[in-house]
C-alpha cells in the first residue's frame, strides 16, 4: 500500500532537501513528518549515513482505510546525527521514486 501523504514534501517544507553536502539529525526528520501527520510510528532507515527509506506505520486491513498508528514498533537504522539525504539517482523515473515506504500492520 502506498501512502497518499507526500512524506518527501513534508521534509522539503521543513528545509530538509536532497543535497550531496547537507547533513541532518534524525529528530529533525521525525519532527518534520509528525508536524504534518501527527503522532505516528516511524522507521527512519539508512544505508550507512544515507537516508534510504522512511516507514510510516498504518493500521487497517483488507479494504479498510489504513490510518496512521503511533503504537507500532518500527526499527530505525539511521544514526542520530550526520544523516545525508542524497539527491535521487538519475535512473529514477520520478523525482522521489526511492522515497518512503508505508508499512501497514
Amino acid at each position: 500500500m502506498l501512502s497518499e501523504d507526500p512524506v518527501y514534501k513534508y521534509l522539503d517544507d521543513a528545509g530538509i532537501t536532497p543535497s550531496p553536502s547537507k547533513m541532518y539529525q534524525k529528530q529533525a526528520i521525525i519532527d518534520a513528518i509528525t508536524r504534518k501527520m501527527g503522532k505516528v510510528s516511524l522507521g527512519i532507515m539508512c544505508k550507512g549515513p544515507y537516508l534510504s527509506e522512511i516507514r510510516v506505520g498504518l493500521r487497517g486491513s483488507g479494504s479498510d482505510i489504513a490510518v496512521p498508528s503511533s503504537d507500532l514498533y518500527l526499527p530505525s537504522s539511521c544514526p542520530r546525527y550526520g544523516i545525508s539525504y542524497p539527491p535521487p539517482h538519475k535512473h529514477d523515473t520520478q523525482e522521489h521514486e526511492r522515497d518512503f515506504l508505508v508499512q501497514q500492520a
Side-chain angles (χ1 to χ4, degrees):
M1 169 174 207
L2 296 176
S3 173
E4 297 297 319
D5 289 303
V7 172
Y8 67 89
K9 173 93 169 81
Y10 300 160
L11 297 176
D12 188 68
D13 289 348
I16 300 171
T17 58
S19 168
S21 59
K22 289 183 183 177
M23 302 297 257
Y24 300 100
Q25 295 180 14
K26 182 166 64 172
Q27 191 60 49
I29 294 168
I30 292 168
D31 291 347
I33 296 166
T34 57
R35 192 174 301 119
K36 299 287 187 164
M37 293 186 75
K39 188 175 178 184
V40 295
S41 296
L42 296 172
I44 311 297
M45 308 303 290
C46 286
K47 292 181 181 174
Y50 302 103
L51 181 64
S52 61
E53 186 176 317
I54 295 176
R55 298 176 181 176
V56 179
L58 300 176
R59 287 226 181 263
S61 63
S63 62
D64 290 345
I65 295 174
V67 295
S69 175
S70 62
D71 62 348
L72 299 173
Y73 172 73
L74 297 176
S76 292
S77 64
C78 288
R80 285 185 179 180
Y81 306 99
I83 297 172
S84 176
Y85 179 17
H89 299 293
K90 290 182 180 185
H91 68 271
D92 287 348
T93 57
Q94 295 179 338
E95 182 179 353
H96 293 281
E97 181 176 305
R98 69 185 155 113
D99 269 357
F100 313 131
L101 174 70
V102 175
Q103 188 170 0
Q104 186 173 353

